[in-house]
Amino acid sequence: KAGVTQTPRYLIKTRGQQVTLSCSPISGHRSVSWYQQTPGQGLQFLFEYFSETQRNKGNFPGRFSGRQFSNSRSEMNVSTLELGDSALYLCASRNDRVIKQYFGPGTRLTVT
Amino acid sequence: DAKTTQPPSMDCAEGRAANLPCNHSTISGNEYVYWYRQIHSQGPQYIIHGLKNNETNEMASLIITEDRKSSTLILPHATLRDTAVYYCIVRGANTGNQFYFGTGTSLTVIP
């Protein structure tokens, strides 16, 4: 099976812009979670989607949003980018019957 | 979810066993212990998980104390490619897909 894929892998944006990141889960996995990783805060949970519904949400401002499509692919959007949004954004998928999750390679976002 | 405490860094000689400890003194009965590792700037990689019994797979062994308040991940023959940050995570089986990663242990395997 192909692993979790994320696009793009690298992205440079300027403050105030918005960005959309994409995640394709492993075939058959309906749960997709998003994480932000920064040197200062480590790996932090953003949100989880299951069957097109947000099931869990971390402690991030409303500028961070996501959605999931019927084929389980997910996107996350960050509006009005700030310098502090520069991070590695990771997506993870799992089969809902199993707790183990599989991570993608991440999207490195740089905000200038 | 229970908090975990790990040493910030450890060294291990290549070919020797690497023993990475984790304290999770507030773990509750239905919470599993998971280990992931992250090689620089890549996505975290699942290693192993367990509930009560010791577990072994092709990558590592997981030893959980009888009171379940701590565990040890053992890499039996560390190689340079095992240099990574190792995260110990405690999570219940019935909660949402939310892993609290903590700060992990940065393991350096020395030639």
Side-chain angles (χ1 to χ4, degrees):
Chain A
K1 275 187 183 177
V4 178
T5 58
Q6 293 186 243
T7 57
R9 293 292 311 279
Y10 302 92
L11 203 51
I12 300 175
K13 291 284 189 178
T14 55
R15 274 182 300 175
Q17 287 187 313
Q18 73 154 10
V19 67
T20 299
L21 311 181
S22 181
C23 171
S24 292
I26 291 171
S27 177
H29 288 189
R30 293 194 294 163
S31 168
V32 173
S33 293
W34 288 90
Y35 294 82
Q36 181 197 64
Q37 186 172 31
T38 60
Q41 299 295 321
L43 263 158
Q44 292 188 289
F45 173 78
L46 279 156
F47 28 66
E48 180 210 2
Y49 285 87
F50 177 78
S51 290
E52 302 178 65
T53 301
Q54 189 180 86
R55 185 157 70 174
N56 268 301
K57 189 176 189 305
N59 189 25
F60 278 80
R63 299 185 297 108
F64 292 82
S65 62
R67 59 177 175 167
Q68 187 179 34
F69 302 95
S70 58
N71 62 358
S72 294
R73 190 177 70 85
S74 177
E75 289 180 346
M76 68 161 282
N77 184 277
V78 188
S79 62
T80 319
L81 283 165
E82 301 176 359
L83 294 179
D85 297 333
S86 294
L88 180 68
Y89 289 88
L90 291 157
C91 164
S93 79
R94 69 180 177 100
N95 181 326
D96 207 47
R97 297 176 188 167
V98 178
I99 298 175
K100 183 170 71 174
Q101 55 184 345
Y102 298 83
F103 283 82
T107 294
R108 172 75 60 186
L109 172 65
T110 301
V111 181
T112 62
Chain B
D1 288 340
K3 277 192 171 179
T4 61
T5 305
Q6 299 176 253
S9 63
M10 291 180 63
D11 293 338
C12 177
E14 188 178 16
R16 303 297 292 269
N19 295 281
L20 292 93
C22 178
N23 285 322
H24 31 80
S25 57
T26 59
I27 193 170
S28 60
N30 69 344
E31 289 183 318
Y32 286 75
V33 180
Y34 286 81
W35 284 83
Y36 279 76
R37 72 180 182 184
Q38 188 175 25
I39 296 168
H40 182 62
S41 291
Q42 297 180 21
Q45 176 190 24
Y46 167 83
I47 301 173
I48 198 167
H49 75 280
L51 182 64
K52 294 180 184 177
N53 300 321
N54 298 337
E55 302 287 345
T56 295
N57 63 19
E58 65 279 2
M59 288 182 69
S61 295
L62 174 61
I63 309 297
I64 303 174
T65 58
E66 195 169 338
D67 63 8
R68 304 210 323 123
K69 293 182 185 298
S70 66
S71 60
T72 301
L73 177 74
I74 301 172
L75 308 178
H77 306 286
T79 70
L80 298 179
R81 285 182 290 185
D82 292 323
T83 293
V85 177
Y86 288 77
Y87 295 97
C88 167
I89 302 152
V90 172
R91 220 212 73 155
N94 296 321
T95 55
N97 194 22
Q98 190 171 144
F99 279 67
Y100 294 98
F101 275 80
T103 54
T105 295
S106 178
L107 174 70
T108 301
V109 179
I110 301 168

